[in-house]
């Protein structure tokens, strides 16, 4: 439904959409038209219109007792990205996991009056809010259900598209079962701590990625919830984050940062504005001891200098570890590693070497991501890093020139 009541909000909506088109966030005329049509501020009354139309800003709609956001209207950039990945068509039967109202309205514009849109959420407060806003803004045809997504989407039949707007660690069998063969699932999937919005097409009982984009979402609640584990060092100043697995002897890292630091530099550089998401995925794929390191901003003594203090790519090797760092030279930055522990130099050089491999063999490529049923034997999986979850065996597989690398396997802790 077009908003014609307020020239200011219409201008804000047009400017937001134009900016996303210019930045390449919106690439199709149909997604552009949907964003020009749906009045986002009406689905985000918690924010000012100016904030509602900021391209990079999500609007929190509910927080828990600790003040942590548990539901939000995602940033326009993220919604545009996922809708482009989903490639919705007129007349399709589509569904959304995680309700906010605005995204469902965009989906309704894309599938048209002949299509069907269903949105679900585990939280009744969220679905009541979504139902109210959808009805008030002319999208009463969108179906809204309060249900845990782990068991699927009720009353829909075979789905052409399923978009998940909550961070998922696994892919429940019900989601694949409800997709038509060739149907598409777009899901923010966490793999070894890294989240990517993956557009999967169904191919029988497996899913095959068509694209994967960096993203961030509030985490899934209910039966599909999965918490990462933290290994705290130097009190609580530094934490190693593990999504799957856990060090065999976590106590071996006690005092690791009291040792002398070793440095290694790769010679690999990027422009300061250049993304390097492929490097992140490569290191998560190839390093057996891969984890993420975070530094508490309130407790930071400046001892470590990670490339990203919230989630730095790191390598654990027995009682030693290394993390990725950078040094700047003008408008470019060189990747390197800082190592600590008895094998500080060795572990730092191991991390540096894989950065060089990425630069040499994979800088211009992205992996294909597969999701197979968890019961699939190893011999039936493609080459790549295998991450075994409760429902799925996810395989991160790089282009043919690197398939000489022997497949390795992670196993979820029981």
């Amino acid at each position: 439904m077009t908003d014609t009541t307020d020239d200011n909000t219409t201008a804000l909506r047009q400017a937001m959409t134009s900016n996303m088109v210019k930045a390449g966030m919106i690439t199709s005329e149909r997604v552009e038209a949907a964003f020009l049509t749906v009045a986002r501020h009406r689905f985000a009354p918690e924010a000012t219109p100016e904030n509602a139309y900021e391209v990079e800003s999500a609007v929190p709609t509910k927080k828990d007792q600790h003040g942590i956001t548990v539901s939000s209207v995602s940033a326009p950039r993220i919604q545009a990205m996922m809708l482009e990945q989903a490639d919705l068509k007129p007349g399709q039967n589509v569904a959304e996991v995680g309700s906010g109202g605005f995204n469902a309205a965009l989906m309704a514009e894309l599938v048209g009056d002949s299509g069907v849109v269903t949105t679900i959420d585990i939280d009744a407060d969220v679905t009541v809010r979504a139902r109210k806003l959808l009805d008030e803004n002319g999208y009463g045809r969108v179906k809204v259900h309060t249900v845990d997504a782990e068991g699927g989407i009720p009353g829909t039949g075979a789905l052409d598209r399923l978009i998940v707007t909550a961070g998922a660690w696994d892919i429940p069998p019900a989601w694949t079962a409800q997709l038509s063969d060739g149907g598409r699932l777009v899901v923010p999937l966490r793999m070894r701590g890294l989240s990517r919005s993956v557009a999967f097409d169904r191919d029988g009982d497996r899913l095959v990625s068509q694209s994967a984009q960096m993203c961030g979402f509030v985490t899934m609640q209910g039966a599909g919830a999965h918490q990462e584990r933290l290994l705290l060092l130097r009190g609580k100043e530094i934490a190693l984050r593990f999504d799957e697995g856990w060090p065999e002897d976590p106590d071996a890292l006690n005092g690791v940062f009291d040792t002398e630091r070793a440095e290694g530099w790769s010679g690999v550089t990027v422009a300061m504005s250049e993304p390097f998401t492929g490097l992140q995925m490569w290191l998560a794929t190839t390093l057996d001891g891969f984890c993420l390191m975070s530094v508490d901003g309130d407790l930071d003594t400046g001892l470590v200098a990670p490339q990203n203090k919230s989630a730095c790519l790191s390598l654990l090797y027995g009682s030693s570890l290394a993390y990725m760092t950078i040094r700047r030279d003008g408008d470019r930055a060189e990747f390197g590693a800082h190592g600590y522990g008895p094998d500080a130099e060795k572990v730092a050089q191991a991390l540096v070497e894989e950065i060089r491999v990425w630069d040499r063999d994979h800088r211009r490529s992205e992996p294909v991501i597969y999701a197979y049923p968890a019961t699939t034997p190893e011999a039936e999986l493609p080459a790549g890093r295998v991450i075994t979850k409760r429902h799925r065996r996810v395989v991160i597989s790089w282009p043919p020139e690197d398939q000489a690398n022997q497949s390795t396997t992670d196993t979820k802790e029981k």
Side-chain angles (χ1 to χ4, degrees):
M1 184 178 77
T2 304
D3 173 36
T4 58
T5 61
D6 189 326
D7 290 341
N8 179 55
T9 57
T10 298
L12 288 170
R13 182 164 64 256
Q14 291 172 341
M16 174 195 72
T17 306
S18 175
N19 288 337
M20 289 197 291
V21 171
K22 291 176 182 176
M25 300 170 186
I26 293 176
T27 57
S28 67
E29 292 182 357
R30 297 185 63 251
V31 171
E32 179 185 3
F35 273 93
L36 286 171
T37 299
V38 184
R40 178 176 166 90
H41 69 284
R42 291 183 174 178
F43 289 91
E46 298 84 355
T48 65
E50 289 76 14
N51 287 340
Y53 287 105
E54 289 179 359
V55 170
E56 298 285 353
S57 294
V59 177
T61 57
K62 184 176 180 179
K63 296 185 178 183
D64 65 14
Q65 64 271 29
H66 305 295
I68 298 173
T69 298
V70 295
S71 184
S72 66
V73 180
S74 299
R77 177 184 70 81
I78 294 292
Q79 292 173 314
M81 177 188 75
M82 296 184 80
L83 290 173
E84 293 288 7
Q85 286 184 295
D87 189 26
L88 275 62
K89 307 289 188 184
Q92 286 185 329
N93 181 16
V94 302
E96 173 192 40
V97 172
S99 297
F102 179 64
N103 199 59
L106 293 170
M107 293 168 68
E109 290 291 335
L110 289 166
V111 301
D113 292 341
S114 61
V116 178
V117 178
T118 303
T119 182
I120 71 168
D121 201 285
I122 195 172
D123 189 331
D125 291 341
V126 173
T127 52
V128 167
R129 176 187 178 281
R131 177 75 280 163
K132 176 177 181 294
L133 293 174
L134 287 164
D135 288 345
E136 289 176 352
N137 290 285
Y139 295 96
R141 67 185 185 276
V142 174
K143 301 176 183 179
V144 182
H145 297 293
T146 306
V147 65
D148 189 333
E150 186 82 358
I153 295 84
T156 60
L159 292 169
D160 299 300
R161 301 288 189 269
L162 173 58
I163 301 177
V164 181
T165 60
W169 179 76
D170 204 352
I171 301 173
W175 295 358
T176 305
Q178 285 190 265
L179 276 182
S180 59
D181 201 30
R184 179 164 294 183
L185 165 69
V186 179
V187 56
L189 185 63
R190 219 162 68 236
M191 298 163 286
R192 307 200 86 193
L194 301 180
S195 290
R196 295 292 184 270
S197 174
V198 185
F200 284 111
D201 282 355
R202 181 182 176 185
D203 178 18
D205 63 356
R206 73 173 187 169
L207 299 167
V208 184
S209 73
Q210 304 304 309
S211 66
Q213 302 288 337
M214 180 177 282
C215 65
F217 279 87
V218 296
T219 58
M220 188 76 64
Q221 301 178 52
H226 179 84
Q227 297 298 319
E228 65 181 4
R229 298 181 67 183
L230 301 180
L231 177 57
L232 300 178
L233 303 171
R234 285 180 60 86
K236 296 181 180 180
E237 178 185 355
I238 299 170
L240 300 183
R241 298 163 46 187
F242 297 87
D243 218 18
E244 293 93 11
W246 186 248
E248 290 185 8
D249 182 10
D251 291 338
L253 288 168
N254 290 340
V256 66
F257 288 110
D258 297 330
T259 64
E260 185 176 353
R261 185 175 81 187
E263 293 190 9
W265 295 98
S266 65
V268 177
T269 67
V270 292
M272 294 304 298
S273 60
E274 182 182 347
F276 52 93
T277 57
L279 172 58
Q280 296 169 339
M281 287 299 293
W282 172 249
L283 295 180
T285 303
T286 192
L287 298 175
D288 288 337
F290 179 85
C291 64
L292 297 175
M293 186 178 80
S294 298
V295 181
D296 188 315
D298 293 331
L299 302 174
D300 187 4
T301 64
L303 173 69
V304 294
Q307 174 270 326
N308 180 341
K309 289 192 175 184
S310 298
C312 185
L313 311 176
S314 303
L315 172 60
L316 182 63
Y317 180 76
S319 56
S320 301
L321 66 84
Y323 62 82
M324 191 167 78
T325 188
I326 60 171
R327 57 184 178 189
R328 299 185 179 185
D329 182 10
D331 62 351
R332 298 192 69 81
E334 179 186 3
F335 294 119
H338 289 170
Y340 291 87
D343 294 305
E345 185 172 348
K346 179 178 180 180
V347 71
Q349 287 302 321
L351 184 52
V352 163
E353 180 54 32
E354 290 304 334
I355 294 170
R356 291 172 178 153
V357 172
W358 166 78
D359 181 58
R360 184 183 67 234
D361 296 338
H362 302 295
R363 187 160 185 153
R364 288 162 294 280
S365 64
E366 295 288 340
V368 177
I369 303 169
Y370 301 90
Y372 286 78
T375 55
T376 306
E378 186 89 11
E380 296 179 14
L381 299 174
R385 167 67 63 173
V386 181
I387 308 169
T388 300
K389 300 176 181 283
R390 185 156 63 101
H391 300 306
R392 294 285 168 181
R393 303 195 82 182
V394 175
V395 184
I396 306 173
S397 184
W398 288 81
E401 64 266 23
D402 193 59
Q403 287 186 359
N405 282 358
Q406 190 174 4
S407 175
T408 49
T409 303
D410 286 335
T411 303
K412 171 184 175 288
E413 72 269 19
K414 303 299 182 184

